Amino acid sequence: SQWQVEIVNPGGFMVLGVIGKLQPAVSLTCYNDSCFGWSSDKYVYVGGSDQNDGGSWEGWKMGDKGIFTYSPLKDTLSLRLLRGRSVQEFRIDNCILPNGAFIHFYFCFKGSTVKFSLTA
C-alpha cells in the first residue's frame, strides 16, 4: 500500500503513519500499541512508544511531501520525505499488524492541515 501527503500547515502536534485498530482504547491514538508513524516533533512512534531516532528525523515542516509505503509481508513502514530539493528515506521495522493496517493521521490541535492522495 502506498499513499502521499503534503503538509499544508503542521499546526500543533501531529503523527502520520498507520494504526492497526480503528477504535483504540486510548484517546491519544499515537500511544496505542498498534500505532507506527512520524510526528511533527522529533519523535517516531513505534508500537505506541515515542522514540527519538537519534536525530535523523526532524519532524514535519510546512511544504513537506511524504510518500508512505506499508509492506505487511516485510513488516515495514517506509517514508520518502521530499523537502525542497532534498530527499530523505526513513523506515520503521517490526511494524507488525496481524489484523491489517489503516492509514492514520493524529492531529492534537486545530489548524493542522494535510493534503492526502493514494498512489499507484
Side-chain angles (χ1 to χ4, degrees):
S1 301
Q2 195 172 70
W3 63 97
Q4 179 174 319
V5 297
E6 179 180 347
I7 308 304
V8 176
N9 182 1
F13 178 75
M14 66 181 181
V15 177
L16 308 178
V18 295
I19 196 165
K21 299 174 184 169
L22 280 177
Q23 296 181 330
V26 294
S27 60
L28 297 172
T29 55
C30 56
Y31 290 112
N32 182 272
D33 63 359
S34 70
C35 176
F36 298 84
W38 291 270
S39 73
S40 54
D41 60 14
K42 296 183 179 187
Y43 290 95
V44 177
Y45 283 78
V46 179
S49 174
D50 54 348
Q51 301 177 10
N52 186 322
D53 72 341
S56 61
W57 175 249
E58 298 176 0
W60 293 105
K61 311 281 186 225
M62 189 177 301
D64 283 352
K65 292 181 181 172
I67 300 168
F68 291 82
T69 304
Y70 174 62
S71 302
L73 297 177
K74 296 180 181 179
D75 294 327
T76 61
L77 177 63
S78 301
L79 168 63
R80 183 169 207 210
L81 177 67
L82 307 154
R83 179 173 286 161
R85 293 183 182 194
S86 71
V87 177
Q88 293 176 280
E89 304 280 343
F90 301 93
R91 188 173 80 200
I92 299 173
D93 293 316
N94 299 314
C95 183
I96 300 168
L97 298 168
N99 297 319
F102 303 93
I103 296 170
H104 180 246
F105 299 155
Y106 172 75
F107 300 111
C108 190
F109 302 105
K110 290 182 180 180
S112 298
T113 310
V114 301
K115 290 181 183 177
F116 165 80
S117 62
L118 293 173
T119 57

